[in-house]
Amino acid sequence: MDLLELPFHFIRVPKMRLQLPQFNYPSPMLVFSFVFFTYFLVSSGIIYDLIVEPPSIGYQPDERGNSRPMVFQMYRINAQFIIEGLSAGFIFMLGALGFIILDFNSKKNNSYLFAIGLSLIVATYNIAIVFLRMKIPGYGSF
């Protein structure tokens, strides 16, 4: 052990006045906005869009042979257009915002906030069911 400590008896540590850097933390609203935007991108299927590179919208011929724009890929649960994914992500984001408003309402106890949060959640649920009926054949026909 003394052999290992021998060089350190001759070396003198310099006296330095180093200051630790001061970091300013981002505001909580900025962190929330970043996380919420990331939630929007992930729930809209941005990873699928980057890997598969689907078109933004599709075209479908009508009965006369003219091509009509098509936003949803009907009856294909494992495929999506970019606009379809972004609209579904926006709907999921509104539902999450409804739950955030309800949580905020538990501290404020405001009936208007409760009505807004509950209506966002109910509307999101109904729109998600409409999306599923377009994507899954026979869904909802009991």
Side-chain angles (χ1 to χ4, degrees), residues 6 28 32 35 37 40 49 56 66 72 75 82 84 87-88 91 93 96 99 101 112-113 122 133-134 137 142:
L6 186 65
F32 168 75
V35 170
F37 182 69
F40 165 70
D49 292 340
S56 59
N66 299 329
F72 288 93
Y75 311 121
I82 293 176
E84 176 183 357
S87 62
I91 295 302
M93 192 174 68
F99 281 109
I101 289 173
Y112 292 120
L113 285 178
V122 169
R133 285 186 181 159
M134 284 192 283
F142 299 106

Side-chain angles (χ1 to χ4, degrees), residues 4-5 59 62 121:
L4 293 175
E5 293 177 355
Y59 294 98
D62 60 0
I121 292 170

Side-chain angles (χ1 to χ4, degrees), residues 17-117:
R17 294 179 185 231
L18 294 176
Q19 293 181 352
L20 292 174
Q22 301 260 335
F23 293 111
N24 294 332
Y25 291 111
S27 68
M29 196 61 182
L30 182 68
V31 172
F32 168 75
S33 301
F34 177 73
V35 170
F36 204 56
F37 182 69
T38 306
Y39 169 73
F40 165 70
L41 289 179
V42 169
S43 64
S44 65
I46 194 71
I47 297 168
Y48 171 83
D49 292 340
L50 289 175
I51 292 172
V52 177
E53 296 178 359
S56 59
I57 61 172
Y59 294 98
Q60 178 181 15
D62 60 0
E63 61 275 352
R64 295 180 182 168
N66 299 329
S67 61
R68 290 183 346 186
M70 181 176 65
V71 178
F72 288 93
Q73 284 193 1
M74 307 295 269
Y75 311 121
R76 293 196 56 201
I77 192 79
N78 59 348
Q80 72 177 17
F81 293 126
I82 293 176
I83 299 297
E84 176 183 357
L86 291 176
S87 62
F90 182 74
I91 295 302
F92 294 149
M93 192 174 68
L94 284 180
L97 190 64
F99 281 109
I100 290 170
I101 289 173
L102 283 183
D103 181 56
F104 183 70
N105 184 40
S106 67
K107 298 174 187 115
K108 295 287 185 182
N109 203 8
N110 188 348
S111 61
Y112 292 120
L113 285 178
F114 179 76
I116 290 171

